């Protein structure tokens, strides 16, 4: 037992690291698909919003879920629906986007407050609600919205993710890919300043 317990903890943390790597790879692949099939992605998000809104109504009618949290969740998905007008572009500095971010936090608080007082629900049941009804649509937008090559945190462009492709420097990539690329550039700069060589690509060339 003296050696087995540390082994269990070490194995558990190793599994978490592997899961995090798998999730990162899966997110990147999903961003690639969303970037390539933007029309299909828009349809999926459109019907996801409708289905999640219907689930809110059904839970309110048949299971007696709280009115405030339910109607606030419906209002949030109505806000998400507005993003489809300029999809896959989103303006990060717009009041609509800022309000959606704040509303998402409030939505979390309302549902967590409800489930905290309802002891009949177990953690798997709570997660089964949060994944489709709270996280799915915002997560879909995060993976699929696009930005220009110049609109990165390291760039001087201040317009955020705009809906005009002429202001985006010509090219575009998903916000998730742009964020990962930005972290990769920061890592390379830090390694270079520390005296380490920058990572090489598949062909053995420096990035």
């Amino acid at each position: 037992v003296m050696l087995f317990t540390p082994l269990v903890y070490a194995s558990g943390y190793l599994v978490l690291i592997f899961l995090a790597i798998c999730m990162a790879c899966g997110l990147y692949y999903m961003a690639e698909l969303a970037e390539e099939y933007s029309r299909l992605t828009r349809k999926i998000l459109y019907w996801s919003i409708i289905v999640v809104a219907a689930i809110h109504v059904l839970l309110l009618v048949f299971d007696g879920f709280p009115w405030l949290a339910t109607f606030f969740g419906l209002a949030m998905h109505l806000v998400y629906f507005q993003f489809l007008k300029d999809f896959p572009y989103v303006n990060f500095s717009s009041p609509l986007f800022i309000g959606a971010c704040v509303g998402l936090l409030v939505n979390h608080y309302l549902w967590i407050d409800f489930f905290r007082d309802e002891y009949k629900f177990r953690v798997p049941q709570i997660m089964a609600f949060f994944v489709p009804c709270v996280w799915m649509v915002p997560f879909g937008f995060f993976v699929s919205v696009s930005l220009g090559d110049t609109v990165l945190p390291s760039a001087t462009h201040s317009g955020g993710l705009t809906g005009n492709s002429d202001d985006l420097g010509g090219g575009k990539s998903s916000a998730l890919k742009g964020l990962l690329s930005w972290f990769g550039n920061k890592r390379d700069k830090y390694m270079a300043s520390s005296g380490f060589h920058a990572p090489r690509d598949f062909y053995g060339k420096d990035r």
Side-chain angles (χ1 to χ4, degrees), residues 29-176:
Y29 182 67
M30 290 175 64
E32 289 277 0
L33 292 178
E35 184 179 343
E36 185 174 357
Y37 303 102
S38 58
R39 289 186 179 181
L40 177 60
T41 304
R42 186 183 183 280
K43 289 183 179 179
I44 292 175
L45 289 172
Y46 173 85
W47 286 107
S48 296
I49 293 173
I50 293 178
V51 170
V52 172
I55 292 175
H56 276 74
V57 174
L58 293 175
L59 289 174
L60 174 65
V61 174
F62 293 102
D63 288 343
F65 271 43
W67 286 84
L68 177 61
T70 299
F71 279 105
F72 192 87
L74 288 172
M76 285 304 304
H77 283 79
L78 182 62
V79 172
Y80 301 149
F81 195 84
Q82 304 303 312
F83 290 128
L84 294 177
K85 294 179 180 180
D86 296 322
F87 185 84
Y89 299 102
V90 176
N91 187 353
F92 274 6
S93 60
S94 67
L96 182 65
F97 177 80
I98 297 174
C101 293
V102 175
L104 181 62
L105 296 177
V106 176
N107 197 29
H108 275 80
Y109 170 78
L110 292 175
W111 286 117
I112 290 174
D113 185 64
F114 165 68
F115 285 112
R116 182 183 59 188
D117 297 332
E118 295 290 334
Y119 297 103
K120 62 181 179 181
F121 295 107
R122 298 181 180 273
V123 173
Q125 294 173 307
I126 297 174
M127 293 300 295
F129 171 83
F130 267 85
V131 169
C133 296
V134 180
W135 296 334
M136 183 172 67
V137 174
F139 176 78
F141 276 105
F142 173 70
V143 171
S144 57
V145 294
S146 298
L147 69 164
D149 295 336
T150 59
V151 190
L152 293 172
S154 58
T156 57
H157 194 289
S158 61
L161 305 186
T162 62
N164 188 351
S165 60
D166 295 335
D167 298 334
L168 294 173
K172 69 181 182 69
S173 62
S174 72
L176 176 63

Side-chain angles (χ1 to χ4, degrees), residues 154 182-195 198:
S154 58
W182 180 73
F183 278 114
N185 291 335
K186 288 296 183 181
R187 178 204 59 196
D188 294 344
K189 290 180 181 179
Y190 174 77
M191 293 180 66
S193 63
S194 301

